[in-house]
Amino acid sequence: MPIPTPFHSRTSTVCESYEWRNWSGYLAAGLYEPSFEREYFAIRNSAAMIDVSPLFKYEITGPDAPRVVDRIITRDGRKCRAGQLMYSPWCDEEGKVIDDGVIARIDENHFHITAADPNLNWFQDVAFGFDAQVRDISSDWAVLSLQGPNSRAILKEVVSGIDFDRLKYFWLAHGQVDDSPLTVTRTGYTGDLGYELWLEPPHAAALWDRLVETGSRYGVLPAGMVALDVARIEAGMLLIEVDYISSHHARIETQKSSPFELGLGWAVSLDGDSFIGQKALRAEKERGSPWSFIGLDIDW
């Protein structure tokens, strides 16, 4: 049975539709109102608060943490500096995508990875023999996504200790809301200006209240999974088990996909350090991919 997220005491009081979905074992609002349109247009025209706490979250630490991350992801992890984030898929030995997510380099030997599927066993297998520890920190953090053109203006009033005019895309910064510390990443799943706020679960409700109080002057609304799905499709962002099937879940070989087939060739660094699946992807690059996933821009 799905369990509440750290924001449930607030999201449950404004979910007029009563449409709840199971997102990785958590209750997630499909939409808050009878229709998703206002939530979608809040993402595009003002600001929307999206509870993304159900994402799986992993921490990799230790002297060999950079080497472990470099073996997992298809990007060149050496180019990710402390305080920076990087999007990447990760593959099996045949070069087929297992999952994709965002890697944050908190410090030199400290990384966070978000994922759509559970990956603890895989990450621990990759780390075997290295001086590094992999830990599931999914329940340690509440994560709220604030997306939309007014998101920066709202956060400037709510969060102290961060210069939001200088926080670049796919970078993070540490600040606080009142007396509660939080980490802000300039990331999102909408293709719009947006941020994701990481903080300890006991402070989640207070953060929600502060954003609603300040954001009411900026047109902020809570947004559910339906509006988020529309936004991410428009942005051309992939969703596991919808746009592709994890190689760990595929029933037949033809259900598996490589990064090149998914249009993620730009996220494959064949000349970087060795990663799992690199040899197979190098061979695919030389012979060409049998098919490719593309987006269509339709002029109505």
Side-chain angles (χ1 to χ4, degrees):
M1 183 175 179
I3 61 175
T5 75
F7 294 101
H8 188 73
S9 64
R10 297 302 186 265
T11 58
S12 60
T13 62
V14 292
C15 187
E16 300 173 2
S17 71
Y18 294 99
E19 183 179 327
W20 295 94
R21 301 187 179 186
N22 185 335
W23 179 3
S24 299
Y26 288 89
L27 283 170
L31 60 162
Y32 287 89
E33 299 181 350
S35 177
F36 72 91
E37 276 86 354
R38 285 213 321 145
E39 300 167 31
Y40 163 77
F41 283 112
I43 294 173
R44 293 292 182 238
N45 298 328
S46 53
M49 300 186 301
I50 308 166
D51 183 3
V52 296
S53 301
L55 283 169
F56 289 97
K57 312 167 197 71
Y58 301 98
E59 180 181 70
I60 302 178
T61 56
D64 288 340
R67 295 176 62 193
V68 172
V69 171
D70 231 10
R71 281 187 54 78
I72 292 172
I73 65 176
T74 62
R75 303 283 299 275
D76 186 350
R78 296 172 300 178
K79 296 180 179 180
C80 187
R81 292 184 282 168
Q84 191 174 13
L85 298 94
M86 181 178 281
Y87 167 82
S88 180
W90 47 91
C91 298
D92 59 21
E93 293 183 355
E94 285 71 45
K96 302 303 182 181
V97 177
I98 297 171
D99 202 345
D100 65 301
V102 174
I103 299 87
R105 191 165 198 168
I106 309 300
D107 211 337
E108 194 65 27
N109 297 323
H110 185 183
F111 295 81
H112 285 173
I113 301 180
T114 57
D117 275 2
N119 281 264
L120 180 62
N121 291 341
W122 177 254
F123 290 166
Q124 288 179 334
D125 285 348
V126 175
F128 182 78
F130 289 91
D131 187 3
Q133 297 75 46
V134 180
R135 193 167 68 91
D136 187 336
I137 57 171
S138 299
S139 60
D140 294 352
W141 294 96
V143 186
L144 189 69
S145 183
L146 184 67
Q147 302 288 305
N150 291 341
S151 57
R152 178 182 295 145
I154 295 170
L155 291 178
K156 280 184 175 182
E157 296 190 34
V158 173
V159 178
S160 59
I162 297 177
D163 185 350
F164 285 96
D165 290 325
R166 300 185 65 181
L167 183 57
K168 295 184 287 188
Y169 188 50
F170 265 66
W171 285 78
L172 63 85
H174 305 290
Q176 62 183 38
V177 175
D178 299 326
D179 296 326
S180 304
L182 82 166
T183 299
V184 178
T185 65
R186 191 176 158 188
T187 51
Y189 199 43
T190 65
D192 226 304
L193 174 66
Y195 303 83
E196 292 176 318
L197 317 178
W198 290 55
L199 76 166
E200 295 179 353
H203 306 301
L207 172 64
W208 182 280
D209 293 343
R210 291 281 277 115
L211 291 174
V212 170
E213 178 186 4
T214 302
S216 61
R217 293 183 279 108
Y218 294 92
V220 73
L221 288 175
M225 296 180 69
V226 175
L228 178 61
D229 200 37
V230 174
R232 71 95 189 162
I233 290 172
E234 290 181 339
M237 296 177 175
L238 300 180
L239 179 59
I240 195 170
E241 311 305 343
V242 175
D243 298 313
Y244 74 94
I245 297 174
S246 169
S247 68
H248 284 176
H249 300 160
R251 296 180 182 275
I252 55 176
E253 285 298 315
T254 54
Q255 287 183 323
K256 300 178 182 180
S257 310
S258 74
F260 295 122
E261 292 168 335
L262 293 179
L264 297 177
W266 60 270
V268 176
S269 300
L270 295 176
D271 297 327
D273 282 350
S274 176
F275 61 82
I276 295 174
Q278 186 183 59
K279 182 178 179 180
L281 290 176
R282 185 175 286 119
E284 180 180 338
K285 180 71 172 179
E286 292 176 358
R287 69 175 180 268
S289 305
W291 64 276
S292 179
F293 189 89
I294 63 170
L296 297 178
D297 187 2
I298 300 174
D299 183 359
W300 291 98

